[in-house]
Amino acid sequence: MKTVFNSSLLLMLMLLLGCVENSNKSKQTDINQADNVFVEVSIEGMSCMACVAKVKKTLSDLSGINEVKVSLENKSATIQYNPQNISLDKITQSIDEIGYKAGTVKKISQ
């Protein structure tokens, strides 16, 4: 019984620490929100949802990118990023490096 209690206590502690860590990340993003830029990048070569997932994961993993929405239908990605942390060239280069072709970039006003 004591082992079950200790395991439950440990699990609850881990969950609480995870929530606090995520909360801190959210606050950091909110502070820099004014510096963010929204762009739409056309992407050639995507043909399925696996392509969409690969582009989304690649871009989401880059530091300085806050949000990514990839559309197979429009063959594009809408990206919210902080230009103080990552350049547009690095973003388009990352798309090219995984086998797709980053094309036209349009700035979106939000």
Side-chain angles (χ1 to χ4, degrees):
M1 186 70 168
K2 188 175 181 181
T3 304
V4 172
F5 177 75
N6 286 341
S7 297
S8 297
L9 188 61
L10 181 60
L11 181 61
M12 287 176 40
L13 182 61
M14 289 172 53
L15 287 172
L16 285 173
L17 288 175
C19 291
V20 168
E21 184 176 318
N22 287 337
S23 174
N24 288 339
K25 286 181 183 177
S26 176
K27 287 177 187 172
Q28 289 173 348
T29 301
D30 292 342
I31 291 170
N32 298 327
Q33 204 77 358
D35 298 329
N36 288 336
V37 174
F38 292 82
V39 292
E40 182 178 64
V41 179
S42 65
I43 302 173
E44 296 176 28
M46 293 192 304
S47 59
C48 64
M49 292 307 292
C51 298
V52 169
K54 185 174 183 179
V55 170
K56 183 174 175 107
K57 175 160 180 22
T58 298
L59 295 176
S60 295
D61 287 347
L62 295 174
S63 178
I65 292 186
N66 300 314
E67 185 178 352
V68 178
K69 295 177 183 172
V70 181
S71 170
L72 180 59
E73 182 180 340
N74 297 331
K75 305 273 192 226
S76 67
T78 303
I79 304 163
Q80 176 189 18
Y81 74 101
N82 186 325
Q84 294 176 358
N85 297 331
I86 188 168
S87 69
L88 190 53
D89 286 341
K90 175 62 179 165
I91 294 170
T92 57
Q93 178 184 4
S94 296
I95 294 169
D96 293 342
E97 286 175 353
I98 58 172
Y100 304 100
K101 176 72 176 123
T104 307
V105 177
K106 292 189 291 187
K107 189 171 182 177
I108 302 170
S109 58
Q110 291 283 325

